[in-house]
Amino acid sequence: MPRALLALAIGAFAIGTTEFVVMGMLPEIADGLGVSVSAVGMLISAYAVGVVVGAPTLTAVGVRFAPRQTLVALMAVFVVGNALSALAPTYETLVAARVLTALVHGAFFGVAAVAARRSVPPAQATRAISLVFVGLTLANVVGVPLGTLLAQQTSWRLVLGAVAVLGVVTVAGLLTWLPRDAGEPSDLRTELAAFRRGQVWLVLALTVVGFAANFAVYSYVSPVLTDLAGLSAGWLTPVLALYGVGTTVGTLLGGRLGDRFGFASVVVGLLAVAGVLVALAFLAEVPLAAVTLLVLFGLIAFAMGPVVLNGVIVAARIPGGSLVSAANQAAFNVANALGAALGALVISQGLGYTAPMWVAAALALAGAGLAVLAQRADRRERATVDADVRRWQQALVRDPAGSAA
């Protein structure tokens, strides 16, 4: 695999770390700025707003440039945002700096996916995307715990400064390893035209519905482990770390399966997720079974991410695809909010912590249905294209001069 993928993975690691590490540094930031922990918690919402605004806006601005130019510019903004966050003298300044940093998030992943798949042969496209996104899963396994520990032992400012340095490393890697021709410039009209295709919306709907199943359960994983499985609070960190390892393995595995089986792996994966969640609903009070099923759930769920992202780019049927790729990132965030909200709804009705598992299983089955539709639509389109090619070849054989004219 090209070394350019390493630079993209480092960037994904840096972005994932800066997004989630704040959750582990809330007390330290509150003490440092003289504000309440709840006020610092608003930084998480501010970051989410930045992601929502930045993903379509910066991607639309960047389509006229080659992916390398866009990615370097985005990471430059990321470096500035984290440096300002590390140096922020007041709470208000920190909020503004975090929003600036978040603007990069969705656009980076959208463009990075296009650049990654253009850096390898088509048969390895999904695997290339998975290698980039493994940086994001490793951020939760390595970056966030280490950042939290560093903040506790030294300073939260040092953590954000270190993330800025990772951004500089990413820029250097992109300039050194990512070819100038890893994807060509596009234009906004072409990128927007992709959204006229029903198959694109079908895959985006699949992202929202299918991945909402993940967050309907994962959003409440702590009470599931403590209240249902009976684990002590001290076990949460190692279990969540194990879950993170599962998501990393799943991301890498999904890249290989996607290149070999395409959307069929998504159909099977979502059906498997539904089965695992049903089993978890019955076995949640058995500690070993609950932990095993949660790790398996994370592995299977994250294996589908690279396949779906590559699928929406392919469905666009345009030279670029950065905007639909960024749209898929936005759909993933919608899935996050939808899953968490549906989980909260059934819990608030007094149905207990197993209720979100049944909701998630239903969402996974609905997602599997959408995946089947997307797979069939892709096959129909490929068959139509192949038939057109055969007709053109036959016409060329019958009348070479006329066909050439």
Side-chain angles (χ1 to χ4, degrees):
M1 283 289 173
R3 287 179 294 181
L5 298 181
L6 175 60
L8 293 171
I10 293 172
F13 178 84
I15 291 175
T17 299
T18 202
E19 178 183 12
F20 298 114
V21 76
V22 167
M23 300 177 188
M25 303 191 304
L26 293 181
E28 288 74 22
I29 296 175
D31 290 342
L33 296 178
V35 297
S36 66
V37 170
S38 60
V40 178
M42 291 300 295
L43 291 175
I44 299 171
S45 299
Y47 191 96
V49 171
V51 172
V52 171
V53 173
T57 305
L58 295 188
T59 305
V61 170
V63 295
R64 69 188 68 181
F65 304 102
R68 190 174 85 154
Q69 295 173 297
T70 303
L71 289 167
V72 168
L74 290 172
M75 288 311 298
V77 174
F78 179 82
V79 170
V80 171
N82 277 283
L84 291 176
S85 297
L87 299 172
T90 65
Y91 171 75
E92 291 76 16
T93 307
L94 180 57
V95 171
R98 289 292 292 173
V99 171
L100 176 64
T101 305
L103 292 174
V104 171
H105 186 119
F108 178 88
F109 284 113
V111 180
V114 173
R117 67 192 305 274
R118 293 299 181 86
S119 300
V120 299
Q124 299 177 355
T126 309
R127 183 183 175 193
I129 292 175
S130 73
L131 291 174
V132 174
F133 276 79
V134 80
L136 186 60
T137 60
L138 284 175
N140 283 308
V141 179
V142 179
V144 173
L146 285 181
T148 301
L149 179 62
L150 184 61
Q152 293 170 346
Q153 300 300 320
T154 57
S155 169
W156 61 271
R157 296 182 184 275
L158 184 61
V159 174
L160 296 177
V163 173
V165 172
L166 284 175
V168 174
V169 172
T170 302
V171 170
L174 291 171
L175 291 174
T176 304
W177 294 327
L178 186 63
R180 294 179 181 273
D181 58 353
E184 64 277 2
S186 182
D187 62 84
L188 186 57
R189 180 176 297 179
T190 300
E191 293 284 338
L192 289 174
F195 290 96
R196 298 174 185 169
R197 297 179 52 78
Q199 193 175 349
V200 168
W201 289 102
L202 193 58
V203 179
L204 292 176
L206 162 62
T207 300
V208 172
V209 176
F211 286 95
N214 300 3
F215 297 104
V217 173
Y218 186 70
S219 300
Y220 308 98
V221 66
S222 293
V224 167
L225 291 172
T226 55
D227 293 14
L228 294 182
L231 297 178
S232 64
W235 278 100
L236 289 180
T237 298
V239 170
L240 292 179
L242 192 59
Y243 176 89
V245 171
T247 63
T248 302
V249 173
T251 301
L252 292 172
L253 181 63
R256 294 180 178 274
L257 293 175
D259 284 332
R260 184 171 182 181
F261 301 108
F263 251 72
S265 61
V266 179
V267 177
V268 174
L270 285 168
L271 292 175
V273 163
V276 169
L277 290 172
V278 170
L280 181 60
F282 284 107
L283 299 173
E285 295 182 358
V286 181
L288 180 60
V291 172
T292 301
L293 289 168
L294 277 173
V295 173
L296 183 61
F297 165 65
L299 188 152
I300 300 172
F302 274 74
M304 294 178 289
V307 189
V308 173
L309 181 52
N310 186 61
V312 78
I313 296 172
V314 171
R317 297 288 195 272
I318 58 174
S322 297
L323 201 55
V324 294
S325 180
N328 197 69
Q329 297 302 307
F332 190 80
N333 282 284
V334 172
N336 187 338
L338 176 64
L342 291 176
L345 177 63
V346 292
I347 291 173
S348 68
Q349 298 300 312
L351 300 176
Y353 288 115
T354 59
M357 302 171 196
W358 292 106
V359 170
L363 288 168
L365 290 175
L370 290 170
V372 169
L373 293 177
Q375 186 181 25
R376 289 180 177 176
D378 182 65
R379 286 176 178 173
R380 284 196 300 270
E381 181 153 343
R382 290 178 186 274
T384 301
V385 171
D386 290 343
D388 290 341
V389 170
R390 285 194 298 270
R391 283 194 294 270
W392 179 83
Q393 290 173 337
Q394 291 168 357
L396 185 62
V397 170
R398 289 193 300 268
D399 185 11
S403 299

